[in-house]
């Protein structure tokens, strides 16, 4: 670095050093990409949620904008308003450390052609294009404005990957076959269209998430008749794939604690403290779950943690414990909490295996079979089709 080096280059270099020290950034090609693709061009403004729930915006007028952009953190770049008036995030620039972890896991060769699902700001498409070249990178996003803006920014930097505004669940058949597909939004099941567009031996890296954040990044190899691979050891979470280019509809939970069958539990109500059991439990649940807090205690604290299934079942777990036990109320055809407790006991009896001991096999009829240690091992779980999933996903 010299006295004439632009400040962003010094910051990009610092970011690369930090990711290398963490052991995430390993190859010189990705270091070169991080150091030469300016993240601030893709993130001219970002949103931050305040303690009171409101959002504030930071841009070049703020003295720490540039420094923040080159920190190893995700940055929210687009919000949308739901019909009930809540603001939800619809796009972001992924945490660079996570992006590089995924790019390293893709094990790219110079000749590879890659499809990215979830263009967002265009920053990751920029990293890929710097590494592989214009003709070898395609990226799709359901947000037409996002794609148009990403294209302008990439062109500014002389990068011209193929960008398309489309539902990524269908892949990009007109540009297949690909050597790699990387999804930067989570999917409840892996669309078979992606398998059809990856050559045999090629890889798909995606965040396979059911509801309540239960799931993780999975690296799947394309075999003649299936996709198969393991979850990555470290958990990561992306925003969920959406079916329309607007805010998702609000889901109203109708829940009356008095209507529920009563029991107690010693377990924490927070799903993120127990994500693997929650994923296994969903093999026995007909539909996706939503999680939220309801009711307030006299002191203004949340009263219930509530899980609702789209077919109408719900369970509520009291936030306050008495003698280490919490009240549970369950209602409807699926006893959500009972299923979770069963899965948690099963996982404990198996020795509490981590993500990388679990894998997935996906076949062309849409079946997703989770397995422990080996695809033909004794412990398997079949995930039901995700509720609301478009038929075209395969
Ligand atoms: C975490 S952001 C992607 C970050 C991006 N790779 C970057 O470098 O800025 C997730 C993106 O997935 C997109 N997305 C959501 N549903 C989609 C769909 N059905 N098809 C394609 N993209 C989708 C969102 O619009 C959002 O931009």
């Amino acid at each position: 670095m010299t006295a004439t080096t632009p400040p962003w280059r010094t910051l990009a270099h610092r970011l690369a050093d930090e990711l290398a020290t963490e052991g995430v950034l390993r190859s010189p090609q990705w270091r070169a990409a991080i150091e030469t693709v300016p993240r601030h061009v893709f993130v001219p403004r970002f949103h931050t949620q305040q303690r009171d729930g409101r959002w504030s915006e930071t841009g070049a007028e703020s003295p720490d904008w540039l420094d923040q952009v080159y920190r190893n953190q995700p940055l929210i770049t687009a919000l949308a308003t739901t019909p009930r008036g809540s603001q939800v995030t619809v796009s972001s620039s992924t945490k660079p450390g996570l992006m590089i972890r995924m790019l390293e896991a893709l094990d790219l060769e110079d000749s590879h052609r890659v499809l990215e699902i979830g263009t967002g700001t265009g920053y990751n498409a920029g990293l890929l294009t710097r590494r592989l070249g214009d003709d070898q990178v395609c990226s799709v996003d359901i947000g037409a404005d996002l794609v148009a803006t990403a294209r302008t920014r990439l062109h500014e930097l002389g990068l011209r990957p193929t960008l398309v505004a489309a539902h990524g669940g269908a892949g990009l058949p007109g540009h297949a076959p690909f050597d790699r597909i990387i999804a930067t939004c989570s999917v409840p099941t892996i669309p078979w269209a992606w398998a059809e567009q990856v050559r045999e031996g090629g890889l798909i890296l995606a965040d396979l998430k059911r509801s309540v954040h239960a799931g993780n990044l999975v690296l799947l190899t394309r075999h003649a008749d299936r996709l198969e691979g393991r979850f990555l050891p470290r958990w990561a979470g992306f925003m969920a794939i959406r079916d329309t280019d607007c805010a998702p509809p609000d889901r109203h939970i109708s829940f009356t604690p008095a209507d529920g069958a009563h029991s107690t539990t010693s377990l924490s109500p927070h799903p993120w403290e127990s994500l693997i059991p929650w994923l296994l439990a969903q093999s026995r649940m007909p539909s996706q779950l939503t999680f939220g807090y309801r009711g307030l205690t006299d002191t203004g604290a949340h009263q219930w943690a509530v899980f609702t299934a789209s077919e109408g079942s719900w369970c509520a777990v009291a936030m306050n414990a008495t003698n280490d036990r919490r009240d549970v109320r369950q209602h409807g055809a699926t006893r959500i909490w009972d299923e979770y407790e069963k899965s948690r006991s099963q996982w404990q009896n198996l020795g509490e295996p981590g993500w990388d001991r679990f894998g997935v096999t996906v076949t062309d009829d849409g079946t997703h079979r989770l397995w422990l240690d080996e695809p033909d091992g004794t412990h398997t779980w079949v995930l039901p089709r995700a509720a609301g999933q478009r038929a075209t996903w395969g």
Side-chain angles (χ1 to χ4, degrees):
M1 300 286 142
T2 68
T4 54
T5 306
W8 76 263
R9 282 219 174 235
T10 310
L11 295 172
H13 186 76
R14 177 189 74 185
L15 177 61
D17 280 349
E18 189 186 326
L19 301 183
T21 306
E22 211 192 300
V24 169
L25 177 61
R26 296 192 305 270
S27 55
Q29 294 94 334
W30 290 123
R31 175 178 269 276
I34 285 279
E35 290 187 338
T36 58
V37 178
R39 192 182 187 208
H40 67 279
V41 170
F42 298 92
V43 189
R45 308 192 73 70
F46 61 86
H47 305 271
T48 314
Q49 193 161 29
Q50 306 304 315
R51 280 175 167 275
D52 63 4
R54 278 186 289 200
W55 292 87
S56 66
E57 239 187 303
T58 306
E61 72 286 349
S62 162
D64 69 346
W65 160 73
L66 194 65
D67 185 72
Q68 290 298 318
V69 168
Y70 288 92
R71 293 280 170 195
N72 185 19
Q73 59 185 352
L75 296 168
I76 305 293
T77 49
L79 298 173
T81 307
T82 66
R84 283 171 183 270
S86 337
Q87 286 209 291
V88 292
T89 61
V90 287
S91 195
S92 63
S93 172
T94 305
K95 183 178 175 179
L98 170 56
M99 215 61 270
I100 289 295
R101 189 151 69 85
M102 291 174 76
L103 294 172
E104 293 276 15
L106 281 181
D107 195 19
L108 284 171
E109 292 171 16
D110 293 348
S111 61
H112 280 167
R113 298 189 68 249
V114 178
L115 170 63
E116 178 193 37
I117 313 292
T119 312
T121 64
Y123 178 57
N124 188 50
L127 296 175
L128 280 164
T129 310
R130 185 72 97 214
R131 164 79 176 80
L132 295 171
D134 293 343
D135 297 339
Q136 289 164 236
V137 179
C138 297
S139 180
V140 300
D141 200 294
I142 198 154
D145 290 350
L146 294 172
V147 170
T149 308
R151 182 179 290 115
T152 307
R153 292 169 179 160
L154 287 158
H155 285 189
E156 244 175 68
L157 300 171
L159 301 170
R160 292 178 178 272
T162 300
L163 299 189
V164 180
H167 193 306
L172 204 54
H175 294 262
F178 299 100
D179 298 284
R180 303 285 186 261
I181 294 182
I182 175 173
T184 60
C185 48
S186 72
V187 283
T189 51
I190 306 291
W192 189 252
W194 295 0
E196 286 171 341
Q197 293 170 38
V198 167
R199 67 160 172 82
E200 212 174 312
L203 299 175
I204 295 176
L205 178 54
D207 185 16
L208 178 62
K209 284 247 157 54
R210 307 300 283 198
S211 24
V212 301
H213 301 296
N216 194 10
L217 298 174
V218 68
L219 184 61
L220 300 164
T221 302
R222 173 68 155 120
H223 298 272
D225 59 345
R226 68 194 189 284
L227 294 168
E228 197 160 82
R230 285 173 192 277
F231 288 100
L232 299 193
R234 267 172 73 181
W235 184 86
F238 278 94
M239 60 181 63
I241 196 165
R242 51 197 162 96
D243 279 340
T244 53
D245 183 6
C246 60
D250 302 88
R251 266 189 60 193
H252 183 67
I253 305 170
S254 141
F255 134 84
T256 316
D259 290 350
H262 191 180
S263 58
T264 63
T265 185
S266 60
L267 300 179
S268 159
H270 301 299
W272 55 89
E273 288 175 17
S274 203
L275 289 174
I276 294 176
W278 269 111
L279 177 61
L280 304 182
Q282 289 180 49
S283 65
R284 292 193 304 271
M285 295 192 198
S287 57
Q288 286 188 267
L289 300 177
T290 306
F291 174 75
Y293 298 103
R294 299 296 292 273
L296 291 178
T297 63
D298 297 343
T299 59
H302 289 298
Q303 195 174 8
W304 298 100
V306 183
F307 298 79
T308 42
S310 39
E311 38 68 300
S313 305
W314 54 258
C315 78
V317 183
M319 297 294 289
N320 272 335
T322 308
N323 297 329
D324 287 337
R325 296 207 66 91
R326 297 163 196 277
D327 269 351
V328 177
R329 307 290 162 92
Q330 299 187 79
H331 181 77
T334 309
R335 294 294 152 149
I336 297 171
W337 194 257
D338 293 352
E339 295 300 348
Y340 161 64
E341 286 206 336
K342 273 187 235 158
S343 292
R344 191 172 151 104
S345 304
Q346 184 188 21
W347 176 70
Q348 283 178 317
N349 292 338
L350 290 168
E352 303 192 5
W355 282 112
D356 53 349
R357 284 189 55 198
F358 288 92
V360 189
T361 302
V362 183
T363 42
D364 65 357
D365 58 359
T367 301
H368 283 55
R369 194 167 49 83
L370 302 180
W371 37 264
L372 180 69
D373 293 331
E374 298 303 331
D376 52 4
T378 43
H379 299 288
T380 61
W381 300 259
V382 175
L383 292 179
R385 249 183 127 75
Q389 180 179 312
R390 288 187 356 164
T392 49
W393 283 29

